[in-house]
C-alpha cells in the first residue's frame, strides 16, 4: 500500500569530525544540544508546518533531520511523520528506523489504505519503501551510535520518475517514482508515528534529534550536500535556499516546551511528555 516505485542504491560517506559552525542569521547560534526522546511517549507536535509537506500533485518540498540511534526493534520507529485530515483514510507517511532479520534500516514510507499505487522494485531491499540497510555495499547503520543526517526531497508531480529521493549523510541513498495521487497531510510530528487524523500516536523514536528543517522546494544534490556540510550542521538560514521551517531542538531555545521555529515562515512546535531534562548536551561533531 505504497505511494511509490523504488529504485534504490546506497552510498557511504563517513562523518567528518568537524566543529559545529554558526551563522549570524536565524536567531541564536547552535550550542551543541539536542532533544532526547525516550521511545515511550515523547514527541513534538508541529502541525503548523504540515501544509508545506502536502502531496498535492503540484508542489515540491524537502525535509532534513539530524538523528542519533533509533532502537533495535522490528517495529518501525519514526523520526518524523505526517498523516491525513480524515480519520477513515488512516493514511500516513514518514521516515523511520527499524530492524528486520537482524539488519538495521532507515526508510521512507507513504501509505494510503487498500490501494497499491506502484509496484516495488528495489535493490536496496523491497517491502515498498525508499530504504537503506546496513548490508548494502558501503551502507551505514542508522543505530550505530553516530550522528547521521537523513534528507528527503519530494516532487509530487506524478510523472516525475525520481520524484522521491532519500539522502544519507549528504549522499544519494535511494529514489522512487511519484504516484498519481493527491493527498493532504496536515498533522506533523517529530519522534513518533502520527495516524488516524492525528489521534493515534505510536512507534516512538528512542534517540536524539539535533536539528530539522522543512523546505518548500525539491533540494538538489548540491543543496543537500550544503545542508549536511561534511557532518557539521550549519545555520541553515544562511543557505540558499533557506528553510521555511527550521528547528534547533534546544540550541538557543529558552521557551521550552515550545520548540522555536527559526525559519522564514515560523511555526513553533510543542514538546509533549518531555521536560527540560530532555534537552541534552550531545550533537554532531
Amino acid at each position: 500500500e505504497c505511494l511509490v516505485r523504488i529504485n534504490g542504491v546506497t552510498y557511504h560517506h563517513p562523518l567528518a569530525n568537524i566543529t559545529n559552525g554558526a551563522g549570524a542569521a536565524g536567531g541564536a547560534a547552535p550550542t551543541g544540544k539536542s532533544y532526547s526522546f525516550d521511545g515511550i511517549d515523547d514527541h513534538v507536535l508541529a502541525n503548523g508546518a504540515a501544509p508545506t509537506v502536502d502531496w498535492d500533485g503540484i508542489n515540491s518540498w524537502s525535509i532534513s533531520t539530524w538523528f542519533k540511534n533509533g532502537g533495535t526493534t522490528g517495529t518501525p520507529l519514526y523520526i518524523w511523520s505526517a498523516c491525513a485530515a480524515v480519520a477513515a483514510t488512516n493514511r500516513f507517511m514518514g521516515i523511520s528506523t527499524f530492524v528486520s532479520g537482524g539488519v538495521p534500516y532507515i526508510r521512507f514510507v507513504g501509505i494510503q489504505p487498500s490501494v497499491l499505487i506502484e509496484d516495488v522494485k528495489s535493490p536496496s531491499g523491497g517491502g515498498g519503501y525508499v530504504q537503506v540497510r546496513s548490508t548494502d555495499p558501503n551502507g551505514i547503520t542508522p543505530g550505530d551510535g553516530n550522528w547521521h543526517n537523513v534528507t528527503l526531497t519530494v516532487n509530487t508531480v506524478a510523472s516525475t520518475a525520481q520524484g522521491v529521493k532519500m539522502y544519507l549523510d549528504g549522499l544519494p541513498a535511494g529514489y522512487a517514482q511519484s504516484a498519481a495521487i493527491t493527498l493532504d497531510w496536515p498533522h506533523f510530528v517529530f519522534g513518533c508515528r502520527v495516524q488516524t487524523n492525528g489521534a493515534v500516536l505510536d512507534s516512538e523514536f528512542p534517540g536524539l534529534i539535533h536539528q530539522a528543517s522543512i523546505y518548500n522546494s525539491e533540494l538538489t544534490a548540491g543543496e543537500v550536500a550544503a545542508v549536511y556540510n561534511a557532518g557539521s550542521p550549519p545555520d541553515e538560514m544562511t543557505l540558499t535556499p533557506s528553510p521555511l521551517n527550521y528547528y534547533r531542538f534546544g540550541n538557543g531555545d529558552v521557551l521550552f516546551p515550545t520548540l522555536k521555529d527559526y525559519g522564514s515562515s515560523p511555526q513553533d512546535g510543542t514538546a509533549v511528555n518531555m521536560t527540560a531534562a530532555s534537552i541534552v548536551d550531545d550533537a554532531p561533531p
Side-chain angles (χ1 to χ4, degrees):
E1 300 171 343
C2 289
L3 297 177
V4 293
R5 182 185 303 277
I6 309 301
N7 291 277
V9 293
T10 60
Y11 301 88
H12 176 65
H13 188 88
L15 289 173
N17 189 17
I18 300 175
T19 304
N20 265 357
T31 57
K33 296 184 182 293
S34 305
Y35 275 20
S36 177
F37 295 80
D38 65 6
I40 300 172
D41 59 6
D42 289 356
H43 58 276
V44 174
L45 297 174
N47 289 346
T52 306
V53 302
D54 280 354
W55 206 291
D56 57 12
I58 300 172
N59 293 310
S60 301
W61 46 269
S62 303
I63 298 178
S64 169
T65 316
W66 291 83
F67 73 97
K68 182 178 180 179
N69 293 329
T72 55
T73 173
T75 300
L77 305 171
Y78 281 82
I79 300 171
W80 64 261
S81 66
C83 85
V86 181
T89 64
N90 193 29
R91 59 189 187 238
F92 71 94
M93 65 176 173
I95 291 279
S96 66
T97 64
F98 81 116
V99 174
S100 178
V103 179
Y105 292 76
I106 182 168
R107 67 181 182 181
F108 167 76
V109 59
I111 298 289
Q112 74 155 352
S114 304
V115 178
L116 180 62
I117 301 302
E118 298 281 356
D119 284 335
V120 176
K121 299 185 184 300
S122 174
S124 286
Y129 317 104
V130 181
Q131 63 184 4
V132 178
R133 61 183 180 181
S134 64
T135 54
D136 286 327
N138 298 318
I140 65 173
T141 304
D144 60 7
N146 295 318
W147 281 99
H148 296 291
N149 175 270
V150 56
T151 298
L152 187 78
T153 69
V154 176
N155 182 338
T156 67
V157 178
S159 60
T160 303
Q162 296 186 29
V164 182
K165 297 177 183 176
M166 182 191 289
Y167 296 80
L168 273 180
D169 292 350
L171 292 176
Y175 64 86
Q177 179 175 328
S178 299
I181 191 167
T182 299
L183 299 174
D184 295 324
W185 315 79
H187 303 280
F188 191 92
V189 176
F190 292 106
C192 69
R193 179 175 67 166
V194 58
Q195 57 174 327
T196 314
N197 195 25
V200 175
L201 300 170
D202 59 14
S203 301
E204 285 84 359
F205 177 75
L208 277 63
I209 298 179
H210 171 68
Q211 186 165 293
S213 51
I214 302 175
Y215 293 78
N216 62 347
S217 64
E218 178 187 12
L219 297 182
T220 66
E223 290 165 348
V224 172
V227 170
Y228 179 61
N229 194 36
S232 180
D235 181 344
E236 293 181 49
M237 294 308 296
T238 66
L239 302 179
T240 302
S242 62
L244 206 64
N245 310 107
Y246 180 38
Y247 302 100
R248 287 179 168 154
F249 289 89
N251 295 315
D253 295 350
V254 294
L255 302 175
F256 187 88
T258 296
L259 177 66
K260 183 173 176 58
D261 185 348
Y262 292 95
S264 60
S265 181
Q267 299 288 338
D268 292 347
T270 302
V272 179
N273 300 321
M274 306 178 78
T275 69
S278 300
I279 303 177
V280 298
D281 289 317
D282 196 347

